[in-house]
Amino acid sequence: MALRSNPESSGTDKAAVIAVSSHVVRGTVGNRAMVFALESLGHPVWSVPTVTLPWHPGHGPATRLVPGPEQFSAFIEDLCNSPKLGEIGAVVTGYFGAPGQVEDMARLVQAVKAQSPDALFVCDPVLGDGGQSGGGRLYQPAETLAAIRELLIPLADVATPNRFELQFLTGLELNTNQHLIEAAATLGPRLVLVTSAFALLRGGIANLLVDGFSATLAEHRHIEGAPSGTGDLTSAVFLARLLGGASPEKALQSTTAAVYEILARTTKRGADELTLETDADALRSPLAMVQMRRLAGAGGRRA
């Protein structure tokens, strides 16, 4: 499977991307993070908001503006029929505001791939969070959870679940990196990037990339009090690296370094949202160092 695309010209030398997620007025989560990262890295973006909020709900109660089902479906149908759809080299999805939106997005992904078979689809299954205690909570209704698992994951070239989401999607208990590798290998997509994997560095946090029988861990120091949005940012930057021709392992390294550097700078300032506008240089050329390790792959093979 190709991990880059050759779309019709969109007036730039880089493929356009459809980014689908929540939109916040204040902050850098959901599509605010994904669109900024992709555009900073040179990709034109077609931005599709699934829900609009004044801020991330973690900052306090927030009013949700969700487009009506018929309106959203008609909106997606317009995109499916766009004469410019051939510009699209990738689709990335995140948080959905209503269950019916998932079926609409599956239709759009299929329309993009019909125009450009090598176009990439990155599915960030924003379903829930494991939390610091490891207990975990789902924050989507059962209908949305099922639709993502049954309609989007089978279409995805790349999935970027956190550890808790991978456990939900596979129905497996995941207590070690070997468990994560085996679960990722059963999920379906060619590449599975598991955020919040088990770090081998003391006091660290890790991303785990599973590519067939190859498994690579990227680790860095855990940063307390990190703001929301790192999962959205990771998905977008990883996609941009793949579209730029990086190998999956190199994309993992540079993505992890970029997100870590932005996170470190943000927390040093005491900001409660990722300071992407100040730290865009870290997206392009991160200076942070991350520890890379090859792990035993699924089936016991050495990567």
Side-chain angles (χ1 to χ4, degrees):
M1 179 194 303
L3 286 173
R4 66 185 71 183
S5 57
N6 296 292
E8 295 175 8
S9 173
S10 58
T12 75
D13 60 353
K14 294 194 175 182
V17 177
I18 298 178
V20 183
S21 193
S22 58
H23 174 83
V24 294
V25 174
R26 177 192 182 272
T28 47
V29 299
N31 250 11
R32 285 291 300 275
M34 293 200 298
V35 172
F36 183 92
L38 288 162
E39 290 183 340
S40 295
L41 294 170
H43 293 278
V45 178
W46 296 17
S47 178
V48 179
T50 55
V51 56
T52 301
L53 305 101
W55 47 70
H56 186 278
H59 293 315
T63 300
R64 294 166 54 92
L65 297 179
V66 182
E70 293 183 2
Q71 290 177 313
F72 189 83
S73 185
F75 182 90
I76 295 302
E77 188 64 22
D78 286 346
L79 296 180
C80 289
N81 294 325
S82 170
K84 300 294 187 180
L85 198 64
E87 296 175 356
I88 302 300
V91 180
V92 55
T93 60
Y95 184 83
F96 289 97
Q101 294 176 350
V102 180
E103 183 176 353
D104 292 326
M105 276 313 306
R107 190 168 78 253
L108 179 56
V109 170
Q110 290 169 327
V112 169
K113 285 184 171 284
Q115 285 267 355
S116 304
D118 288 338
L120 298 180
F121 172 38
V122 176
C123 178
D124 182 4
V126 184
L127 307 174
D129 192 340
Q132 294 300 313
S133 64
R137 65 186 181 95
L138 293 167
Y139 39 67
Q140 287 281 25
E143 190 178 353
T144 302
L145 300 172
I148 291 173
R149 180 169 53 194
E150 296 166 12
L151 299 178
L152 292 187
I153 292 295
L155 292 174
D157 303 293
V158 183
T160 60
N162 62 35
R163 191 170 76 211
F164 177 73
E165 290 162 346
L166 181 61
Q167 182 165 291
F168 172 81
L169 289 168
T170 60
L172 302 172
E173 188 172 342
L174 309 177
N175 298 315
T176 67
N177 280 332
Q178 187 59 39
H179 290 165
L180 296 179
I181 293 168
E182 292 168 359
T186 70
L187 192 61
R190 152 77 189 279
L191 298 179
V192 179
L193 173 55
V194 186
T195 59
S196 67
F198 298 96
L200 302 183
L201 291 172
R202 188 170 185 176
I205 192 168
N207 290 328
L208 175 67
L209 178 66
V210 180
D211 179 1
F213 289 109
S214 175
T216 308
L217 196 70
E219 304 174 90
H220 60 73
R221 177 176 58 84
H222 176 67
I223 297 177
E224 294 291 340
S228 300
T230 56
D232 307 306
L233 187 60
T234 296
S235 298
V237 177
F238 188 69
L239 170 58
R241 298 293 196 260
L242 293 178
L243 289 174
S247 68
E249 186 171 313
K250 178 60 178 175
L252 170 69
Q253 184 275 329
S254 60
T255 297
T256 304
V259 175
Y260 173 44
E261 185 169 331
I262 290 171
L263 201 53
R265 292 185 185 185
T266 295
T267 54
K268 186 175 181 179
R269 295 187 184 98
D272 65 354
E273 291 283 347
L274 295 173
T275 51
L276 299 182
E277 68 288 342
T278 307
D279 301 320
D281 57 318
L283 293 172
R284 293 183 283 268
S285 302
L287 300 176
M289 301 295 293
V290 297
Q291 175 73 50
M292 301 291 290
R293 303 175 191 265
R294 291 287 189 94
L295 303 182
R301 294 190 185 183
R302 173 63 61 181

